[in-house]
Amino acid sequence: MTRLCVGLADKSSGHYDWRVRYHGAGGYRSIMNGHSSKPEWAAFTRVEVLIIALTIGVLAGCLTPSEKRRALSIACNNNLKCVGLAFKTWSIDQSDEYPMRRPKEQGGTKELIGTGQVFVHFRVLSNELSTPKVLVCPADKAKVFAENFDSGFSDVNVSYFLGLDASEESPMALLSGDRNLARAGYSLNRGLFTLTTNTPLSWAIAIHDSCGNVCFADGSVQFLGSAKLAEAVRNQGVATNRLAVP
């Protein structure tokens, strides 16, 4: 049997020695060893590299499909919590209003609503978001991570819709969320979509298997199925909420 073992020993001097050993047909032999402060690396043979790669692959494959979906959903949920916090932080110095309600001369994006683009609103939050990578859901294979908010940043780098009429005055209005929205069984197109409280909104199967994460105007985030999403639409507290879908 082939084994890869890691040993850690507490020395009397207070330092820790460690050793990685490979067990093959010829018995154990050390392939890495040293002190924790300055490890000494020994070269791996091709067989050892293949064994380590195989081990990592096996461990990665231990998650069931449902566990993988849940892990991706949790990561997406955390992304949207960052989005909600960014909007709340930005609004502190902007009379508690979000960028979509503030004119350009006041640092907002009100004049850009008609473009139907989403990234233009998120770009204003670059300081609060720190990185555009939180705008891509890890389960959304159609979107690409952006390195920064510079000129190359666009809707290609955004997974989440934006509720253009969401405000802190209506805390349960849809502020952002997964873009895999559907109306009457048909996926929403990119651009502007007018959402009313009686719109039969649901999830398309893409991304989270007919579910999705939603960030509300108060910054809270929930993972919802289609029935709960429809209920959230009815309880938004605003008659109309225009959505920008990337």
Side-chain angles (χ1 to χ4, degrees), residues 62 144 159 167 191 203 218:
C62 287
V144 181
S159 291
S167 70
W203 296 109
D218 65 355

Side-chain angles (χ1 to χ4, degrees), residues 21-169:
R21 297 193 298 170
Y22 164 72
H23 183 272
Y28 280 108
R29 71 182 183 87
S30 295
I31 55 177
M32 288 189 291
N33 60 77
H35 295 286
S36 58
S37 59
K38 190 176 181 181
E40 235 177 70
W41 292 81
F44 289 101
T45 67
R46 184 176 299 178
V47 172
E48 290 163 354
V49 170
L50 290 174
I51 291 172
I52 293 172
L54 179 61
T55 302
I56 293 172
V58 169
L59 291 174
C62 287
L63 293 177
T64 65
S66 61
E67 289 172 334
K68 289 180 181 178
R69 287 193 297 270
R70 176 168 171 75
L72 293 174
S73 172
I74 291 173
C76 173
N77 189 287
N78 287 333
N79 282 353
L80 284 167
K81 287 178 180 177
C82 293
V83 168
L85 180 60
F87 274 99
K88 299 283 284 185
T89 303
W90 191 92
S91 71
I92 291 174
D93 296 324
Q94 299 289 337
S95 303
D96 294 329
E97 291 187 332
Y98 292 150
M100 303 82 73
R101 301 185 70 174
R102 304 289 282 180
K104 186 176 180 180
E105 61 266 22
Q106 295 178 5
T109 57
K110 187 175 182 179
E111 294 87 347
L112 299 175
I113 286 178
T115 66
Q117 296 174 316
V118 185
F119 79 96
V120 293
H121 306 287
F122 283 124
R123 187 164 56 191
V124 172
L125 303 174
S126 60
N127 289 335
E128 289 76 17
L129 289 169
S130 297
T131 172
K133 292 183 179 180
V134 298
L135 299 176
V136 174
C137 169
D140 189 350
K141 304 306 181 185
K143 298 296 182 175
V144 181
F145 288 111
E147 293 299 324
N148 52 56
F149 291 95
D150 292 343
S151 58
F153 179 60
S154 70
D155 276 0
V156 174
N157 312 119
V158 179
S159 291
Y160 304 122
F161 73 80
L162 188 61
L164 302 170
D165 297 298
S167 70
E168 295 193 39
E169 297 169 1

Side-chain angles (χ1 to χ4, degrees), residues 9-33:
D10 186 0
K11 312 301 287 184
S12 58
S13 62
H15 294 285
Y16 290 90
D17 282 356
W18 52 269
R19 178 172 297 170
V20 179
R21 297 193 298 170
Y22 164 72
H23 183 272
Y28 280 108
R29 71 182 183 87
S30 295
I31 55 177
M32 288 189 291
N33 60 77

Side-chain angles (χ1 to χ4, degrees), residues 192-213:
L192 292 176
F193 176 80
T194 301
L195 180 67
T196 63
T197 53
N198 60 356
T199 300
L201 197 68
S202 61
W203 296 109
I205 193 171
I207 303 180
H208 291 299
D209 294 330
S210 300
C211 293
N213 285 296

